[in-house]
Amino acid sequence: MTNQVLDSKMENPNKALWEKGDFTEIAALMRESGDALVRSLGIKPPLRVLDLGSGDGTTAVPLAQIGAEVTGIDIAENLVAAGNRRALEAGLSLLKFQQGDACNLHEVEDDSFDLTLSVFGAMFAPKPFDVAKEMVRVTKPGGRIVMGNWIPNDQTSFVSQLLKISTLFTPPPPEGFVSPMTWGVDHQVIEYFTKAGVSKEKISMVKDTYSFISPDKSPADLIESLGKFYGPTMNAFDSAKKNGKIEELRAQLVELAKAQNRSRGDGVSIPATFLRVTIHP
């Protein structure tokens, strides 16, 4: 996110987290970087692509626009519906979105895709070993897997710091919880994919940059949006409100956004370092 179906205790909270807000409001800040990342992949259609944890299509839409046949799979049904609306409005007949779980892609046959892509998506699924196994299984021999993952404790990663601050205001995770930030650690990524049958030599990792851009939002506006529409931040605000610490949380997050904002005007342009993983299974 073995080919085992998740029980409801593991699946439902994760699904509810990403359906809690309206991530399309946050995705709007990610479009330019999504386009740039897709261009950097050097795609040459015809090509079948799986975008795993696709949201409403920040990378799936530009992939389809350059001629790839794209399937977007996401745990959140509201984002699947939003993605299909975007595909229809853009006239992208080779793009479809469907609901699914990155830990158990039971609806996808083996060796289905030339490229399996997941940008800040599958890293949030609760069973990383299952995620790696499924990504390898559905990718054709000679194909490619590419992931974008946030890096824990990286001072140049806005989202990493955002999530770190948010966890200070939320209850401890349940027993058995595996942090999604493990996907931003080299040796953990190697462990996940080698257990899925990929040799270490076929795994490469580099640091890259992804930016959140809006000419219309101030750093304070950005934090307000995250508090309304981004599941992890929404949970942090809910907990902080119950504990009388909501202003403390807001102040820390606004300070973070201001410190990392590179816009010279009134808007926001916040670069965030991430780990770009490429696998040749």
Side-chain angles (χ1 to χ4, degrees):
M1 262 184 195
T2 72
N3 210 9
Q4 182 180 0
V5 177
L6 288 174
D7 62 37
S8 59
K9 290 182 181 179
M10 289 298 292
E11 179 182 9
N12 290 344
N14 197 53
K15 186 172 184 291
L17 174 67
W18 297 108
E19 291 182 349
K20 182 172 184 176
D22 182 1
F23 186 74
T24 62
E25 294 286 337
I26 307 305
L29 310 176
M30 305 172 72
R31 303 298 191 208
E32 290 184 37
S33 284
D35 289 347
L37 192 150
V38 166
R39 288 194 300 271
S40 75
L41 294 173
I43 298 296
K44 294 182 179 179
L47 199 75
R48 292 197 71 206
V49 181
L50 169 62
D51 189 346
L52 192 56
S54 55
D56 70 339
T58 297
T59 46
V61 167
L63 281 164
Q65 287 172 332
I66 60 176
E69 179 184 348
V70 186
T71 299
I73 294 181
D74 201 278
I75 192 73
E77 293 181 33
N78 59 326
L79 297 180
V80 169
N84 280 319
R85 285 194 298 271
R86 289 191 71 203
L88 181 64
E89 290 167 1
L92 296 171
S93 60
L94 294 179
L95 172 59
K96 65 177 180 180
F97 293 83
Q98 62 193 56
Q99 197 273 337
D101 189 333
C103 298
N104 179 24
L105 298 169
H106 60 86
E107 70 278 25
V108 181
E109 295 182 359
D110 295 358
D111 306 332
S112 291
F113 297 98
D114 303 291
L115 169 65
T116 298
L117 176 70
S118 186
V119 182
F120 320 128
M123 67 173 289
F124 287 98
K127 293 187 175 182
F129 286 103
D130 290 4
V131 170
K133 184 177 180 180
E134 287 293 80
M135 294 181 83
V136 171
R137 179 183 69 80
V138 303
T139 305
K140 294 178 181 178
R144 181 171 41 148
I145 298 169
V146 178
M147 295 185 76
N149 302 323
W150 300 122
I151 303 170
N153 302 316
D154 190 315
Q155 297 299 318
T156 63
S157 177
F158 171 69
V159 177
S160 172
Q161 296 303 307
L162 175 86
L163 295 173
K164 183 177 180 180
I165 292 170
S166 295
T167 59
L168 299 175
F169 292 83
T170 53
E175 185 178 352
F177 172 80
V178 179
S179 170
M181 304 306 287
T182 60
W183 280 106
V185 180
D186 291 22
H187 72 86
Q188 292 278 15
V189 173
I190 291 170
E191 183 180 8
Y192 294 151
F193 280 106
T194 53
K195 287 287 181 66
V198 178
S199 61
K200 187 176 178 179
E201 313 82 69
K202 295 184 177 181
I203 304 170
S204 63
M205 288 166 278
V206 295
K207 286 189 176 182
D208 206 340
T209 302
Y210 200 101
S211 295
F212 296 82
I213 300 170
S214 173
D216 304 319
K217 290 184 181 294
S218 68
D221 293 334
L222 172 61
I223 297 306
E224 187 73 15
S225 293
L226 289 165
K228 288 181 178 178
F229 302 118
Y230 184 57
T233 318
M234 294 174 71
N235 284 348
F237 271 94
D238 288 346
S239 295
K241 185 175 182 179
K242 292 176 183 177
N243 296 323
K245 295 183 176 181
I246 193 166
E247 292 307 322
E248 181 183 348
L249 171 60
R250 181 180 287 111
Q252 288 190 31
L253 293 180
V254 171
E255 181 181 357
L256 170 69
K258 286 180 177 178
Q260 299 209 6
N261 187 26
R262 299 294 178 266
S263 175
R264 295 181 179 180
D266 296 329
V268 293
S269 177
I270 299 179
T273 303
F274 71 96
L275 187 68
R276 181 163 169 163
V277 180
T278 303
I279 312 288
H280 293 279

